[in-house]
Amino acid sequence: MVEIFKALADENRIRVFNILLQGELCVCEIEVMLDLSQSNVSKHLSKLKSAGIIERQKDAQWVHYKVSDTFKNQYTELINGLESGLLLNKEAMNDLKRLQKYRQESFNCQIINKDRDFVIVKINEVEGL
């Protein structure tokens, strides 16, 4: 349990966890969503994975992450508490707005690789950001 709290004791890891609660994402999608570098995202994903909070799946050249089903089943109350708290966090809510816009636009890793800046501009065209 201590390892879980250590892993979640970082604002960026909480942000990663928050968007992964919404479903599976590739590393490049997390980078774009949170406006973080690849190395920064990888470091945070590694800590969350080591704590058993998330799991990864490799699909050709892409690596996808999601919140572990085991973690969801064992820590439902903790997750509910975190989600309630994140509703009060402006940055976390903006991350979810960007994710929603990303999905509405049907963006994907291939589009990010072709024109990352375009994707970033489009997902930031959300009212309130």
Side-chain angles (χ1 to χ4, degrees):
M1 183 70 118
V2 171
E3 198 65 31
I4 290 168
F5 284 109
K6 283 182 180 181
L8 293 171
D10 179 273
E11 182 178 353
N12 285 326
R13 286 194 290 275
I14 288 282
R15 292 176 67 207
V16 170
F17 175 72
N18 184 42
I19 63 171
L20 289 178
L21 281 171
Q22 311 309 310
E24 187 175 284
L25 292 169
C26 181
V27 174
C28 66
E29 293 171 314
I30 297 168
E31 293 169 30
V32 167
M33 232 42 64
L34 304 182
D35 193 25
L36 296 172
S37 70
Q38 187 274 329
S39 62
N40 200 344
V41 169
S42 292
K43 177 183 75 171
H44 293 308
L45 289 169
S46 177
K47 290 201 182 251
L48 292 169
K49 186 176 178 300
S50 292
I53 296 169
I54 63 171
E55 57 192 30
R56 65 180 244 153
Q57 178 180 345
K58 190 156 175 65
D59 179 24
Q61 66 196 41
W62 316 113
V63 180
H64 298 271
Y65 287 86
K66 69 176 192 166
V67 176
S68 159
D69 292 334
T70 302
F71 183 80
K72 284 181 183 178
N73 293 334
Q74 290 180 345
Y75 297 102
T76 305
E77 290 182 32
L78 174 62
I79 292 169
N80 292 340
L82 287 170
E83 285 183 306
S84 294
L86 288 167
L87 290 173
L88 304 173
N89 182 290
K90 184 178 180 179
E91 189 169 30
M93 294 311 299
N94 287 341
D95 293 340
L96 294 179
K97 287 177 186 177
R98 280 191 294 277
L99 177 60
Q100 182 179 18
K101 177 74 171 182
Y102 178 84
R103 289 185 170 152
Q104 285 173 347
E105 296 286 337
S106 299
F107 289 135
N108 58 42
C109 298
Q110 289 85 1
I111 296 170
I112 291 172
N113 282 341
K114 286 181 186 171
D115 197 346
R116 179 186 191 92
D117 292 336
F118 172 76
V119 174
I120 291 170
V121 167
K122 290 301 283 183
I123 66 171
N124 282 310
E125 289 177 352
V126 176
E127 191 167 324
L129 289 184

